[in-house]
Amino acid sequence: MDKDFNRRRTLGERIFKRHRNLWVYMFFGFIASLINTVVFMFMHDFLHTVLVIDNTIAFIVSNLASFWFNHKAVFTKNVDHEHKLWQKLLSFFAYRIISLLPDTLIMWLGMTVLGWPALIVKVIDQILVGIFNYLTTKSVFEKQEKSLKKRLEKKIKMAL
């Protein structure tokens, strides 16, 4: 029994280690999504401002937090040292602005066209947009291998 437990634990450690950035990103991404949702709901329910303004302000606040989380805690290995912090910030927000369009569209469709409650739509929205954000955020903070050969060698090495 101890042998099975040790094998499962070792496998779990390998899986976590291999996908560490994803697990840590999901944790801090959840916090950033929570910030986004709380700011949005506060503005929507208490200030009664326009949906696009609510969503945009929630977007700005949560993405400033998200940038800091990603820079300080998520992407700590294989870090891109070629670009300065302000360059990463600009790159990060360029990608995130792209995600603001479907973010706002999902909110508008869910609340206005479908008539769903704001909180339900926001949760669905944050999950869908979060997947896109992980892929783009990874490209901002991690050092990118320049050649296809090096990327393939790295993938093979990680698989073993």
Side-chain angles (χ1 to χ4, degrees):
M1 184 117 167
D2 287 334
K3 197 177 200 182
D4 287 338
F5 175 76
N6 286 336
R7 271 193 301 197
R8 282 186 292 226
R9 191 179 85 198
T10 302
L11 177 62
E13 288 170 353
R14 282 185 24 216
I15 289 170
F16 180 82
K17 189 174 182 179
R18 178 181 289 166
H19 301 289
R20 178 217 171 267
N21 286 356
L22 174 62
W23 298 114
V24 177
Y25 179 86
M26 285 173 33
F27 173 76
F28 284 107
F30 172 77
I31 293 171
S33 290
L34 194 58
I35 292 169
N36 186 301
T37 303
V38 168
V39 170
F40 176 82
M41 294 305 296
F42 174 78
M43 294 191 65
H44 179 72
D45 288 347
F46 296 108
L47 301 181
H48 305 289
T49 51
V50 179
L51 180 131
V52 174
I53 293 170
D54 299 341
N55 205 49
T56 303
I57 291 173
F59 165 86
I60 292 168
V61 172
S62 66
N63 279 291
L64 284 170
S66 183
F67 179 82
W68 188 82
F69 296 152
N70 286 302
H71 176 66
K72 292 293 185 186
V74 178
F75 297 99
T76 59
K77 293 187 175 160
N78 192 31
V79 176
D80 173 9
H81 293 291
E82 293 178 31
H83 297 94
K84 296 187 183 323
L85 187 63
W86 67 268
Q87 291 171 312
K88 290 179 187 177
L89 182 65
L90 287 176
S91 210
F92 180 83
F93 268 93
Y95 281 126
R96 293 298 171 102
I97 286 172
I98 293 169
S99 75
L100 179 60
L101 297 174
D103 182 345
T104 304
L105 182 63
I106 291 167
M107 293 304 298
W108 179 79
L109 283 172
M111 292 173 62
T112 306
V113 176
L114 299 174
W116 291 355
L119 183 59
I120 300 295
V121 178
K122 193 57 162 166
V123 169
I124 293 168
D125 165 65
Q126 288 300 290
I127 291 168
L128 295 174
V129 172
I131 294 166
F132 172 79
N133 286 345
Y134 173 71
L135 298 172
T136 58
T137 301
K138 187 176 173 181
S139 72
V140 171
F141 289 97
E142 285 187 349
K143 182 171 69 174
Q144 301 298 311
E145 294 293 338
K146 302 296 183 210
S147 75
L148 178 61
K149 181 182 174 194
K150 285 185 180 181
R151 287 192 311 236
L152 288 173
E153 287 172 353
K154 185 177 179 182
K155 291 273 186 194
I156 292 169
K157 194 177 195 181
M158 286 182 71
L160 301 175

